Amino acid sequence: MGLGNVKAIIFDLDNTLLDRGTTFRRFIDSVVLQYFSHVNNPADMIERIIELDQDGYKDKQELFTELLEELPWQTKPGIAELLDYYAEHYVKSACLMEGAEEVIRQLGENYKIGLITNGKTHIQYGKIDQLDMRDWFDVILVSEEAGVKKPHAGIFEMAVAQLGISADECLYIGDHPVNDIQGAGGYGMQTIWFEVNQPWHENLTVVPKHKITHLRDLIEIC
């Protein structure tokens, strides 16, 4: 179909290129094996952990503090131990969205490709490297390293500067209505909303160019 004057396509990471739900469930499975072998049926506990995590938007120190209070530990680890365990094993659990590599490789034949993600530098790059993704992108920006996070215009401005193009020559794709669509669209980028877990906010002023439910939908659009 084509995208007119678009020269670059920039993606969000979690719940866009990375299957965050599957990744976190894999991580929780490892937590259960490590700390809760004494629990005969951990299913309800696993669902409670996922609920408290708030789709990844809860600060991890806060999350693990709550888990230390709520879960049936035999011997409670320290918060530092849990954060270290998370840093190592969450990264190892990283899982791509279906079709992610195929779509990126195909789009990369015609467009520059970028990545903008909020999060801790060592965690986000850890997942990127676990999945051997670095060479997919012409620019990668992680909010902690960049010193500014979505939806602030500054992080989108950095990407545009590094790509050497203007905002309206960029198409941004992400799952979060505020951080991704309002942030990128408010800066002047064209946007596509990837509907995954986050509900649309009716009060937003940016209207995405398209809505998709699978990454492969981009092939027809682009």
Side-chain angles (χ1 to χ4, degrees), residues 11 24 26-27 35 38 62 72 86 91 99 120 126 128-129 136 138 144-146 148 157 165 178 195 212 215 219:
F11 290 85
F24 193 69
R26 285 180 175 181
F27 167 67
Y35 294 103
H38 60 287
E62 182 183 351
Y86 172 78
V91 163
K120 299 290 187 183
I128 289 166
D129 290 337
W136 296 8
D138 297 288
E144 184 182 53
E145 180 180 57
V148 62
E157 184 178 12
I165 57 180
V178 176
E195 186 178 11
I212 62 171
L215 282 175
I219 300 302

Side-chain angles (χ1 to χ4, degrees), residues 76-117:
K76 282 190 179 183
I79 189 72
E81 178 183 332
L82 289 181
L83 288 169
D84 287 345
Y85 188 89
Y86 172 78
E88 177 181 356
H89 292 276
Y90 179 58
V91 163
K92 289 180 179 178
S93 302
C95 173
L96 286 171
M97 281 289 191
E98 183 183 357
E101 182 169 10
E102 167 197 345
V103 168
I104 292 286
R105 298 293 188 194
Q106 188 162 337
L107 294 179
E109 295 176 2
N110 298 307
Y111 304 95
K112 292 182 177 181
I113 304 294
L115 179 72
I116 301 176
T117 176

Side-chain angles (χ1 to χ4, degrees), residues 125-155:
Y125 276 113
K127 290 181 287 188
I128 289 166
D129 290 337
Q130 176 72 21
L131 296 168
D132 198 23
M133 296 168 64
R134 285 215 195 202
D135 72 347
W136 296 8
F137 306 104
D138 297 288
V139 61
I140 297 174
L141 288 172
V142 178
S143 64
E144 184 182 53
E145 180 180 57
V148 62
K149 64 191 297 185
K150 300 178 293 183
H152 194 283
I155 198 164

